[in-house]
Amino acid sequence: MPRGARERRAAILELASTSGLTSVEELSAAFGVTASTIRRDLAQLQSAGQLARTYGGAMALDGQLEASVRQRNGEAAGAKEAIARWAADQVRPGETILLDSGSTTTALARELAHRRDLTIVTTAITVLQELAHAADLRVECLGGSLRQLSQGFVGPLAEAALDRMSFDRAFLGADGVTAEHGICEADLEQTRLKELMAQRADRVYLLVHAAKLGHRPFRAHAPIGPEWTLVTDPGAETAATAPFHARGIDLVVVDRAHRAPASRAG
């Protein structure tokens, strides 16, 4: 039996990898420690991007580590900026919009920072930083538990706040997206929150650069709604977009030069 916290956490990772889903109670009994100790272990492993927390336990991430927002900021920057410009063009004066956490939604916040007559609600610290000095905007934040890697709030407090709000448009991000499974995230609380966000919005946009299409790095998923619009960049190959077209999903491929859709289906 592992003696120290480091050995125990390594053993937890191995168990989660082989069994897929492991409960706090099972882990507590297996290692002869309290449930509180196991919860601290799981929180540490989640913070390191090695496990995804579930209700009551944890699941393995198939060897894929979750990237931090800082790491993602340097990926496909031009594509994300083009997607953000297109998304900003959809927003109308007087609207209330919701911005998810993520590097592309943060780029969208940057595009909207100089607008007027908008209410922007977000779960993301990075979005708040972009809008901190936007004097002509009303900015609100959903509370909750902070996920350091995503720099976003999740959990019951965020979900409760959504019950009292509605939005003209919601702009969501994702770690990956497939036509079959929908949004893929490292944490079930994230996918749950995204589903609730979508339910509170008149229009929903899923903003993902081309490399995320067909990519399913983790085991937590949320389905794409029938009225959602999936927005990506010209780097998306036909093989990646075809499954979305086949399911009738509204797909926009942003033209970087003209800020307009290069192709659309659905």
Side-chain angles (χ1 to χ4, degrees), residues 11-253:
I12 288 172
L13 281 177
E14 183 176 356
L15 276 175
S17 298
T18 56
S19 64
L21 182 64
T22 307
S23 72
V24 169
E25 290 74 17
E26 290 171 341
L27 291 171
S28 177
F31 294 109
V33 295
T34 65
S36 296
T37 296
I38 292 298
R39 290 190 183 96
R40 287 194 293 271
D41 287 338
L42 297 180
Q44 179 68 30
L45 292 168
Q46 181 187 30
S47 179
Q50 295 175 287
L51 278 183
R53 295 292 296 274
T54 69
Y55 294 107
M59 63 170 64
L61 297 183
D62 296 333
Q64 173 75 44
L65 297 182
E66 181 183 4
S68 68
V69 168
R70 180 175 298 179
Q71 291 171 313
R72 293 197 299 267
N73 280 339
E75 299 174 354
K80 293 175 182 178
E81 290 170 2
I83 292 169
R85 288 194 298 268
W86 183 92
D89 286 343
Q90 312 312 303
V91 177
R92 301 291 177 260
E95 291 187 337
T96 297
I97 68 169
L98 176 61
L99 299 187
D100 191 11
S101 60
S103 53
T104 307
T105 51
T106 300
L108 174 54
R110 196 175 305 125
E111 290 288 327
L112 296 172
H114 301 293
R115 295 279 193 93
R116 297 185 176 189
D117 192 24
L118 288 177
T119 298
I120 300 179
V121 183
T122 188
T123 61
I125 289 179
T126 53
V127 168
L128 292 175
Q129 290 172 333
E130 293 292 339
L131 302 178
H133 303 290
D136 295 321
L137 297 176
R138 180 181 177 86
V139 180
E140 299 178 351
C141 181
L142 300 181
S145 301
L146 177 64
R147 295 191 76 250
Q148 280 79 8
L149 282 171
S150 66
Q151 290 290 284
F153 294 100
V154 297
L157 291 178
E159 294 172 11
L162 282 173
D163 285 340
R164 295 177 174 267
M165 310 179 80
S166 62
F167 312 96
D168 295 290
R169 304 175 196 273
F171 297 92
L172 307 181
D175 286 328
V177 59
T178 70
E180 180 183 3
H181 294 91
I183 293 174
C184 178
E185 293 289 340
D187 186 270
L188 286 175
E189 285 188 313
Q190 288 180 295
T191 54
R192 168 64 177 165
L193 189 61
K194 290 176 194 291
E195 286 186 89
L196 295 177
M197 288 177 175
Q199 292 171 11
R200 306 300 296 176
D202 294 334
R203 293 292 307 273
V204 182
Y205 304 84
L206 181 57
L207 311 181
V208 292
H209 66 83
K212 294 185 176 183
L213 296 181
H215 188 50
R216 187 163 64 96
F218 306 119
R219 293 184 177 178
H221 300 98
I224 298 175
E227 303 299 325
W228 293 21
T229 299
L230 175 61
V231 187
T232 191
D233 65 272
E237 298 180 354
T238 301
T241 59
F244 298 98
H245 288 300
R247 287 180 176 260
I249 295 171
D250 189 25
L251 175 66
V252 172
V253 179

